[in-house]
Amino acid sequence: MGKSLGPVGAPALPNAVPPPAGIGRRSFVGYVMGGTGLVVAADLALGAAPARAAGLPIPSVPQIPELYDLNDFLTHCALPTSALIAIHIDEQGDAHFALPRMEVGQGITTSTAMIIADELDLPLERVHVTLAPARRELLFNQLTGGSNTTISTYTPIRVAAAVARKALLDAAAIQLGALVETLTVKGGVIFDLLGNALPYGEAAALAAPETTRQVEVELKAEAAHTIVGTPRRRVDALDAVTGRKRFAMDLTERDVPGALPTMVCRAPDLNGTAKEVRNQAAVAAMPGVTHVAIIPTGVAVRARTFGQCIDAVRALDVVWNAGTVAGRSSADILKELRRAELPLAVPKLGATTVEGEFVFHFRSGSALEPNCAVADVRADSATIWGGLKSPIDAQSKVARALRLPQGKVTVNVVQGGGSFGRKLFSDAAIEAAHASKAFGAPVKLMWHRADEPRQGRVHPMATSRIRATVLLGSVISFEQRHTSVSTDFTHGLGERLTAEVAALPTGLANLGFSETIFLLSQELPYDFGVVTQLLNESNLDVDRFNTSSVRNIYSPDVRCANELIVDRLAAKLRLDPVAFRLRYAKSGIVKRVLRRAAELGEWGRAMPAGTAQGIAIHKEYKGATAVLVEIDCRPETVNRKVRDAVTGPRVTKATVVVDCGLAINPLGIQAQMMGGFSDGMAQALSYGNHLVDGRFLEASWDNSAYTRQWNTPFEFRCEVLDSDRKEPGGIGEAGVAASMAAVACAYARATGTMPTEFPINFHDPLHFEPKPFVPPVPESPVNGLDHVS
Amino acid sequence: MPTHTFQLNGETVTVDVEDDVRILWVLRDVLGVTGPKYGCGINVCKACTSHINGKAFNPCAVPVGALGPDDEITTIEGLADTVPGDGLHPMQEAWLEHDVAQCGYCQPGQIMAAVALVQRVRAERRAITEDDLDSIRNVCRCGTYPRIREAIRAGADQM
Ligand code: FES
Ligand code: FES
């Protein structure tokens, strides 16, 4: 024993379908794989059935996401490309599973291990979840996005674990001479009634059949869960706090021999390209430098240390071609968006109309770990290591860039240091492949921080126009026109869409991909009579800006605009914001989170002048979120000084209540809400990119004012409600929209002015001196010892 | 190439590298000590925070030539050995207890900064205040800030 069939080698089998539901619990079909070792499998497309697409009526009143949302779409896309996922039980009785998704901090390796441990009756620390390399046969089913991981993998993973448990028990029954029904499992050891014990590891050796067989299993009842639903710490926490957790740039000489540090000297203009290097030989002769070459995105340099790469990038004298938005500024892009805005249908009706026009500026999607990848390109093959959320797409793009067949490119997925939508793209992997090919040597390529806000993917700039009508004490219409710089969805979803679009509910078939995503994700959770929400893209921008579906895509902006207008409507009808929302909210789940947030956060308590509460809700990812914040906008707070920082209004307290369906790991969900809150708050108050003369000014974390400790609420509380839904919802992005909206609403109530441009400090004098564009990266300081503390 | 000798996590190390290479790259690229992370290279994000002679510093902003043979560098890898016993440092324990890390990329730097902050405040014979916590400049793009605050207070109690 010992050698075993890895999940990737599992042969494709006919789709498993749940047999017709009998009385009692649903049973499912899975497989015990033939060969050495115990490997069990289930179809990744099992369970999580989307709303039936065909023949689904789309009544005019409910909006599409209420019947069939983005997650149904993602799950639906996975159906025809179903393939097997497998769990392997090793000779110690430990379970191993390679998750075809990407861990970027959202906690899915932990929650997946919890699901397997529970179904298998194995202690959590004996379940080992790794990240699967690119598996082309999974097609759409290997994309980490839309907070869809747990929604789409919950049932298949449980089925596979249940099959493993059954195979182990069947083998133990024979070995112990007992009836299967009389066996019990505790901590990965099987016991018969006499107390005879057989550990999983030994049972696994007996359970491996010679040929693959199909088995039918029932899943455990919810009530029998002892791990799922309990707060668990992350499985990789110890590695994270000891520095042992390894990211792509922590791969060393031992992992990829010869992969030396590599950086790219980039153009001053956004997306500018290199025409000529004037001092190639001189730079190539600098200490530590081994290679210098032009690649499509700039001039790549390879050296013994990244420090020497930085020096070389700074020394390069390059002739640049202009960029894709040369000479343009944020105000120009705003004009383009205004021109592209679609008209509202309901005319303006004097005093009965409540309107708003909102602007949302570009903001960087950078994670703390910069874009990076390791590449080893040979004459007829290539290997990539990177934190990639769509590894199959990376594989095909790298193959195209290198003119290699896709099968000659191996893509290994490494844990990522955050993503926020950026790692759906493979920018660094493609660049690393180009550089490795140009140099004829392996590279460890990393972006400089200054490149990240300046040349990296951003949340597209957008406007939102809203007009609502109040008549006879009631809201009778609510229209929204969201207009955005095009969002890049070319990370592998687009091709699938073409194939799937015919199966979508009527009315969606002829829309572009962005409109489809918009329609599938945006739901106004209120009964406001005639509701229309439309997206238009200025469509000039596909290659002008580097965009991505940054955390929560359109929702933070759309909902922020909505909720500000909702507060206006409440005021017009002389209703308290919570009372108004409760009266008009469509669904029970929204009302529940709202009521609980109001109660926990002491809605309506007396607040000093210049401070206020704000509340907002959001419904998406098969769940609902309510956020209540308290903000301090008094001058002594707003004007507090922190060196090189944006201070401004301070959110002093935040309360988040979420119903996300079955809560697999409440502790992890609270963490995701905390992160979503930091994101949403920054987007409302301080985090934006200024486009001036074809270039983004921000080039450092002290320029892009993302949330820092001096902006953090003194009190943060998140409650995860016991849900009526038995299936898990998505959590990675669910906290962002309501947080941004609640902070904006609180600011409006504290200052008496509704903010209409985000971040609200966008037009304040810059709090930083923009760094030079040539050279594109700043020198590392040498005075660090003057600042020891 | 010049050689440089200094103390790293309790051991004497000697490296062959140019004087002006910043310590972060000597640690990561030459010595393979990858706990300290790169997040900016200009002493802003604090992801690389480590200790020199018991105080927090940012190795991305110090050339290796500035080190003498007796200078003692401690990275996250060596933090646990600065306290008695075989276990983790109390601040690392507090981080586990509060399940602070999300992606984990910033956390080595956060923990090293936290330990130095607690020691500094203790030397001033006072308790940690909100202002002290506000003064931490380490970026966490995953937004774990509130848990960091809780963990520092808890870790300080055990230090
Ligand atoms: S990398 Fe040293 S402070 Fe950012
Ligand atoms: S945990 Fe991801 S950056 Fe802090």
Side-chain angles (χ1 to χ4, degrees):
Chain A
M1 289 303 308
K3 282 235 293 303
S4 62
L5 201 55
V8 178
L13 286 173
N15 287 356
V17 279
I23 21 162
R25 282 181 272 143
R26 286 159 90 195
S27 55
F28 291 89
V29 172
Y31 306 91
V32 181
M33 312 298 289
T36 50
L38 177 59
V39 176
V40 300
D43 198 299
L44 186 47
L46 268 183
R52 292 178 75 95
L56 181 79
I58 305 290
S60 58
V61 181
Q63 284 178 286
I64 291 165
E66 292 170 71
L67 306 166
Y68 184 95
D69 68 10
L70 181 58
N71 266 298
D72 288 327
F73 173 65
L74 293 176
T75 307
H76 181 96
C77 282
L79 287 177
T81 61
S82 53
L84 295 177
I85 50 160
I87 295 174
H88 162 222
I89 310 292
D90 69 15
E91 55 271 35
Q92 273 85 45
D94 285 14
H96 299 262
F97 177 64
L99 181 66
R101 291 290 186 277
M102 162 74 170
E103 171 69 53
V104 290
Q106 76 280 46
I108 54 174
T109 47
T110 306
S111 57
T112 299
M114 289 173 70
I115 295 166
I116 293 172
D118 228 342
E119 209 65 47
L120 254 177
D121 290 316
L122 202 56
L124 187 53
E125 61 278 9
R126 288 179 54 195
V127 179
H128 312 283
V129 177
T130 52
L131 305 176
R135 295 175 60 191
R136 220 162 13 136
E137 73 281 10
L138 291 181
L139 295 174
F140 190 79
N141 217 335
Q142 194 172 3
L143 180 131
T144 310
S147 293
N148 179 260
T149 296
T150 310
I151 295 175
S152 59
T153 60
Y154 179 58
T155 303
I157 290 171
R158 287 176 76 198
V159 171
V163 171
R165 187 176 189 276
K166 180 169 161 45
L168 292 163
L169 287 176
D170 285 349
I174 296 168
Q175 176 75 3
L176 299 171
L179 287 172
V180 169
E181 295 74 35
T182 64
L183 299 178
T184 52
V185 184
K186 219 174 159 213
V189 181
I190 304 167
F191 295 93
D192 69 9
L193 292 174
L194 304 170
N196 296 313
L198 189 70
Y200 268 4
E202 286 172 36
L206 304 165
E210 288 190 359
T211 52
T212 297
R213 70 192 156 82
Q214 183 176 319
V215 289
E216 200 174 305
V217 288
E218 283 191 354
L219 300 181
K220 269 192 182 177
E222 308 290 332
H225 284 158
T226 56
I227 299 175
V228 167
T230 62
R232 297 291 166 143
R233 297 189 203 126
R234 290 180 62 100
V235 292
D236 56 0
L238 181 61
D239 284 348
V241 304
T242 51
R244 287 202 292 264
K245 182 165 176 178
R246 296 218 300 166
F247 301 89
M249 292 298 97
D250 300 336
L251 298 177
T252 63
E253 190 59 30
R254 281 189 298 282
D255 304 294
V256 192
L260 287 190
T262 298
M263 273 189 168
V264 178
C265 178
R266 294 170 206 278
D269 278 6
L270 179 61
N271 296 324
T273 52
K275 194 187 263 176
E276 185 199 334
V277 180
R278 289 205 189 101
N279 60 346
Q280 171 129 6
V283 173
M286 287 174 68
V289 175
T290 65
H291 296 78
V292 178
I294 291 183
I295 61 168
T297 45
V299 183
V301 293
R302 179 174 177 272
R304 184 181 179 209
T305 65
F306 277 109
Q308 289 158 324
C309 290
I310 293 172
D311 294 344
V313 164
R314 289 177 51 79
L316 278 167
D317 181 3
V318 185
V319 184
W320 297 105
N321 297 310
T324 47
V325 279
R328 321 225 94 209
S329 295
S330 299
D332 302 313
I333 307 304
L334 180 57
K335 276 192 211 124
E336 290 175 9
L337 289 170
R338 293 257 189 256
R339 278 200 293 275
E341 279 173 2
L342 295 173
L344 293 155
V346 178
K348 192 174 167 125
L349 299 166
T352 64
T353 296
V354 174
E355 283 191 299
E357 286 196 29
F358 304 89
V359 178
F360 301 92
H361 286 278
F362 289 109
R363 57 237 190 207
S364 169
S366 330
L368 185 57
E369 174 193 41
N371 285 337
C372 59
V374 175
D376 185 356
V377 177
R378 305 290 171 93
D380 55 359
S381 68
T383 311
I384 304 285
W385 293 258
L388 297 159
K389 281 176 125 189
S390 15
I392 301 165
D393 185 52
Q395 188 187 34
S396 95
K397 288 193 174 132
V398 167
R400 213 175 311 148
L402 299 173
R403 300 208 181 82
L404 284 174
Q406 191 165 346
K408 294 288 181 192
V409 176
T410 306
V411 172
N412 297 304
V413 181
V414 186
Q415 303 215 45
S419 165
F420 318 109
R422 184 166 274 195
K423 287 181 176 142
L424 283 165
F425 294 87
S426 322
D427 302 325
I430 297 164
E431 251 180 5
H434 278 298
S436 176
K437 186 176 176 176
F439 297 156
V443 301
K444 185 165 155 183
L445 180 141
M446 181 172 78
W447 284 37
H448 193 281
R449 171 60 48 201
D451 299 335
E452 290 270 331
R454 284 191 168 168
Q455 302 278 359
R457 291 183 183 269
V458 289
H459 191 290
M461 186 173 176
T463 63
S464 235
R465 262 188 94 187
I466 297 182
R467 181 180 292 162
T469 316
V470 178
L471 207 62
L472 304 174
S474 191
V475 183
I476 60 155
S477 78
F478 191 99
E479 292 193 288
Q480 182 165 25
R481 298 294 177 265
H482 199 72
T483 313
S484 175
V485 162
S486 306
T487 306
D488 190 344
F489 282 112
T490 58
H491 41 61
L493 286 116
E495 292 151 38
R496 271 323 290 175
L497 176 78
T498 334
E500 297 307 322
V501 81
L504 290 172
T506 334
L508 287 178
N510 294 323
L511 291 171
F513 195 73
S514 301
E515 281 100 331
T516 305
I517 293 282
F518 185 82
L519 275 181
L520 292 178
S521 59
Q522 296 314 311
E523 174 186 347
L524 185 75
Y526 301 106
D527 272 319
F528 284 160
V530 177
V531 171
T532 65
Q533 279 180 297
L534 297 176
L535 169 76
N536 196 29
E537 295 195 329
S538 49
N539 279 334
L540 296 161
D541 327 287
V542 190
D543 295 314
R544 295 201 308 168
F545 291 104
N546 307 319
T547 62
S548 73
S549 42
V550 175
R551 204 174 192 180
N552 211 190
I553 321 184
Y554 301 109
S555 303
D557 297 354
V558 169
R559 295 290 303 129
C560 181
N562 287 169
E563 293 286 88
L564 284 165
I565 294 294
V566 166
D567 270 2
R568 281 282 191 87
L569 290 167
K572 191 160 186 90
L573 294 175
R574 295 199 166 63
L575 281 171
D576 164 83
V578 169
F580 177 87
R581 283 175 174 80
L582 285 172
R583 175 178 294 184
Y584 282 93
K586 273 183 190 170
S587 60
I589 182 173
V590 168
K591 289 182 191 166
R592 248 182 102 213
V593 292
L594 178 58
R595 271 201 200 96
R596 183 64 183 144
E599 181 180 57
L600 263 186
E602 299 173 74
W603 174 257
R605 79 185 185 90
M607 301 273 296
T611 71
Q613 294 178 313
I615 196 159
I617 54 175
H618 182 56
K619 181 166 178 279
E620 197 178 358
Y621 308 110
K622 313 225 167 273
T625 318
V627 177
L628 192 167
V629 302
E630 294 185 358
I631 201 168
D632 183 347
C633 297
R634 292 175 293 191
E636 61 270 31
T637 298
V638 172
N639 299 325
R640 72 196 186 283
K641 292 274 174 276
V642 175
R643 166 179 68 82
D644 297 329
V646 172
T647 50
R650 177 125 188 206
V651 174
T652 50
K653 183 176 169 189
T655 307
V656 179
V657 174
V658 59
D659 179 335
C660 55
L662 173 68
I664 303 220
N665 182 7
L667 195 62
I669 294 167
Q670 286 165 328
Q672 286 305 303
M673 295 302 137
M674 178 178 286
F677 180 80
S678 286
D679 234 325
M681 176 174 72
Q683 294 179 32
L685 298 179
S686 59
Y687 191 54
N689 259 13
H690 293 79
L691 183 73
V692 175
D693 198 17
R695 306 160 177 191
F696 286 117
L697 299 184
E698 283 74 7
S700 132
W701 288 112
D702 277 353
N703 299 171
S704 313
Y706 183 75
T707 300
R708 303 281 278 270
Q709 281 293 5
W710 51 83
N711 312 110
T712 297
F714 302 113
E715 242 182 281
F716 177 90
R717 184 163 178 190
C718 171
E719 187 170 292
V720 182
L721 295 187
D722 273 338
S723 181
D724 297 334
R725 286 191 67 242
K726 294 290 168 246
E727 305 260 303
I731 54 150
E733 303 170 276
V736 186
S739 299
M740 181 178 183
V743 171
C745 288
Y747 178 84
R749 298 180 82 230
T751 60
T753 313
M754 180 174 78
T756 56
E757 202 151 346
F758 297 92
I760 58 159
N761 72 336
F762 189 80
H763 293 292
D764 289 356
L766 284 182
H767 68 281
F768 61 92
E769 174 78 27
K771 294 190 192 307
F773 286 84
V774 180
V777 304
E779 186 180 18
S780 290
V782 292
N783 64 348
L785 291 182
D786 300 343
H787 303 288
V788 296
S789 58
Chain B
M1 221 177 295
T3 61
H4 304 274
T5 299
F6 56 96
Q7 308 298 310
L8 175 61
N9 295 331
E11 286 177 29
T12 305
V13 292
T14 300
V15 287
D16 247 345
V17 70
E18 287 77 4
D19 290 349
D20 63 345
V21 175
R22 309 301 189 270
I23 296 168
L24 178 61
W25 308 118
V26 173
L27 294 173
R28 293 184 53 87
D29 298 341
V30 180
L31 295 167
V33 176
T34 55
K37 300 293 183 238
Y38 166 86
C40 70
I42 53 170
N43 207 348
V44 160
C45 76
K46 307 290 176 181
C48 66
T49 306
S50 301
H51 292 177
I52 184 161
N53 305 323
K55 293 197 161 179
F57 87 118
N58 290 89
C60 68
V62 181
V64 66
L67 291 181
D70 297 330
D71 279 323
E72 173 71 55
I73 306 280
T74 307
T75 66
I76 188 74
E77 287 93 339
L79 179 66
D81 291 338
T82 63
V83 291
D86 293 336
L88 297 175
H89 188 282
M91 198 57 82
Q92 289 171 309
E93 291 288 2
W95 242 249
L96 293 180
E97 187 59 37
H98 287 80
D99 201 40
V100 175
Q102 288 189 26
C103 80
Y105 194 83
C106 72
Q107 302 298 349
Q110 301 278 7
I111 293 169
M112 297 306 279
V115 169
L117 172 72
V118 171
Q119 282 163 351
R120 192 165 68 239
V121 167
R122 187 150 301 170
E124 292 167 17
R125 301 183 171 281
R126 56 184 187 82
I128 293 181
T129 63
E130 295 283 7
D131 281 349
D132 291 324
L133 297 171
D134 277 5
S135 75
I136 298 173
R137 295 193 74 95
N138 297 56
V139 172
C140 176
R141 184 61 174 83
C142 297
T144 64
Y145 299 107
R147 283 192 185 172
I148 289 173
R149 294 171 94 95
E150 287 169 22
I152 293 178
R153 291 183 200 274
D157 288 345
Q158 302 305 316
M159 267 170 70

